[in-house]
Amino acid sequence: MASKCCLLLGAVFAASNVIALEALDEQTMSEVTGQAQGLRYTSEFDARIDSITYIDDDGMGEADSSVGTLSMAPVRVYTPTNRPVQVDLEVRDVNGEKALVFTNRDLPFEIEVGSIAINGDSLGGYGQGNFQIGSGDAVVTYLYAGGFPVNGTPGNGLTLDVDIPASMSFETYFEDEGTRMTTTVDFGDPYDAAGGGLLLEDISFDLVGEGLRIGLPTIDGGNINFYNVRIGEDVLNSLALRNIIIQPGGYLLVKNARGADEYGIEMDSVIKQDSGFDFVYIAGEVDGSYPNANVFELSAGVLMASDFEVKGLRMNVDGERGLVFDFDNTDANSGASANLVVQDVTMQRSDKVGTVETPVSLGTLDMQINLSNNSYLQVQGH
């Protein structure tokens, strides 16, 4: 790994030809004390890992199960040539709390995974990069001591807020047997130049009696756009999640396998009632002129009319079955449930969205979703 780091401490040294110390006048003192406090970390790197492998020693934990593996190889994380990572760090008061604040005005990370494989059979490769942030904008991360509060007392972990600007975008790709599918991820609002972006608040991490509790972020409006899903140069479509609302109190609980003699991971999760978003399917290429008369949208509001609950979801890697997500079919409480409402379903030209020509809704879908403890999802390579 090549690494070059530079730490700017803001120290100023002065000396005269008689090696004497002189009193500073008020103007000079104001110039010194008025400077910004904190540290700036600058780094260029190229990290390469031959292989990362997760081993499930007993597969599904059944009599006919065998050891399974989930691997990524090779893995490379690096900065582009002559484009170092630069992070400003400072401690400051944020809404009455002390926080360690990280400010990134550029995120020049490139990530490449040559192959993601289950039991040695590849699913394909993955990559992410070409991060762009508009001039004057930054990704800001706030780190607080204490995790999810219980009876008003913060937990033993930590809490993060992440503020992503509307001007940020990056590219992702999935590649299999020489064919690459690429997507541009964007956080802007095409209908409001002053809108967009995504503020993720109260992401907490706590070790509790049952395992690791990860508090899902609270979101009060925001956008994620997946523009121009394309194979080569041919655009398939675009998707967007807009006006995202995630109510506080949701979580993911990651636990050890239930049985004392088992290996694996079990998870519970809750997304709170009244969370939702606008789902948008976009037909036509999104470019600098979007929204325009050549691009069309199918949109709908998605609302959680009840808590979306997942209980006892297990993850195992089996030598024969592959990566398996299932529930304990001997536990009647295992499964997933939600009351999902899809409303205001409309189809229109993108340049007509929000105008007086907005069409009448096609209707509303009210769905009570239940996955029994006999449900499962099985993923295998080829």
Side-chain angles (χ1 to χ4, degrees):
M1 177 191 300
S3 178
K4 179 173 66 179
C5 298
C6 177
L7 189 62
L8 305 180
L9 300 178
V12 179
F13 296 91
S16 70
N17 57 353
V18 293
I19 316 179
L21 296 176
E22 298 181 6
L24 296 176
D25 57 33
E26 291 185 1
Q27 180 179 351
T28 304
M29 285 294 291
S30 68
E31 291 174 353
V32 173
T33 58
Q35 293 176 7
Q37 305 301 303
L39 303 175
R40 173 168 292 169
Y41 171 80
T42 304
S43 176
E44 292 179 288
F45 56 86
D46 189 344
R48 301 168 189 252
I49 303 173
D50 289 339
S51 178
I52 300 173
T53 302
Y54 169 77
I55 302 170
D56 188 335
D57 291 339
D58 67 346
M60 290 288 292
E62 300 173 355
D64 62 343
S65 298
S66 57
V67 175
T69 61
L70 179 64
S71 62
M72 298 185 295
V75 179
R76 183 187 180 198
V77 182
Y78 63 98
T79 55
T81 303
N82 297 324
R83 190 181 167 192
V85 175
Q86 194 171 83
V87 186
D88 291 344
L89 295 86
E90 59 181 317
V91 178
R92 68 172 188 247
D93 286 318
V94 179
N95 298 325
E97 294 185 77
K98 288 290 186 183
L100 181 59
V101 182
F102 303 82
T103 302
N104 293 80
R105 293 178 177 83
D106 189 15
L107 286 175
F109 291 109
E110 301 286 331
I111 302 171
E112 298 175 356
V113 180
S115 175
I116 302 170
I118 299 174
N119 298 325
D121 294 325
S122 177
L123 303 178
Y126 175 81
Q128 184 172 302
N130 192 26
F131 281 85
Q132 303 292 330
I133 300 176
S135 177
D137 287 340
V139 176
V140 184
T141 304
Y142 305 85
L143 174 62
Y144 305 90
F148 178 73
V150 178
N151 297 324
T153 302
N156 59 12
L158 54 87
T159 300
L160 293 174
D161 294 345
V162 182
D163 193 356
I164 302 172
S167 64
M168 179 169 143
S169 66
F170 59 90
E171 303 280 335
T172 68
Y173 71 81
F174 172 78
E175 186 169 328
D176 188 26
E177 297 184 348
T179 301
R180 177 172 292 195
M181 182 173 72
T182 309
T183 306
T184 300
V185 181
D186 179 280
F187 295 87
D189 185 341
Y191 299 101
D192 182 3
L198 193 64
L199 175 59
L200 310 173
E201 297 184 284
D202 298 328
I203 308 171
S204 58
F205 299 86
D206 292 276
L207 285 174
V208 296
E210 291 184 277
L212 173 63
R213 185 190 188 281
I214 304 172
L216 300 182
T218 299
I219 303 175
D220 186 14
N223 292 353
I224 306 176
N225 306 300
F226 303 91
Y227 284 150
N228 296 334
V229 179
R230 55 199 182 274
I231 297 177
E233 299 299 322
D234 297 326
V235 175
L236 300 177
N237 53 35
S238 298
L239 301 173
L241 305 180
R242 295 176 180 153
N243 303 314
I244 301 170
I245 303 292
I246 302 296
Q247 300 291 347
Y251 65 88
L252 171 66
L253 180 60
V254 182
K255 303 178 287 186
N256 297 327
R258 184 183 298 271
D261 58 345
E262 294 180 4
Y263 296 90
I265 298 171
E266 186 173 315
M267 293 170 281
D268 295 342
S269 183
V270 171
I271 301 175
K272 299 302 289 183
Q273 180 178 348
D274 295 328
S275 299
F277 53 85
D278 292 338
F279 172 83
V280 184
Y281 171 85
I282 305 167
E285 183 174 358
V286 174
D287 57 20
S289 66
Y290 168 74
N292 58 49
N294 299 316
V295 177
F296 298 83
E297 295 187 357
L298 168 65
S299 65
V302 180
L303 176 69
M304 306 292 178
S306 68
D307 288 355
F308 188 167
E309 295 186 275
V310 178
K311 296 181 179 180
L313 177 65
R314 304 184 301 186
M315 188 193 88
N316 290 278
V317 188
D318 186 81
E320 293 295 327
R321 300 174 179 89
L323 178 62
V324 180
F325 295 91
D326 72 344
F327 301 96
D328 183 354
N329 58 19
T330 66
D331 182 1
N333 293 319
S334 292
S337 64
N339 182 194
L340 198 64
V341 177
V342 181
Q343 55 196 352
D344 298 328
V345 183
T346 59
M347 295 182 290
Q348 59 193 312
R349 264 174 37 187
S350 62
D351 61 337
K352 300 296 184 181
V353 173
T355 70
V356 293
E357 298 181 39
T358 298
V360 176
S361 170
L362 297 179
T364 298
L365 298 174
D366 190 335
M367 299 178 288
Q368 185 66 50
I369 301 172
N370 290 285
L371 294 180
S372 74
N373 57 3
N374 292 309
S375 305
Y376 69 92
L377 173 66
Q378 182 175 323
V379 183
Q380 295 176 285
H382 60 80

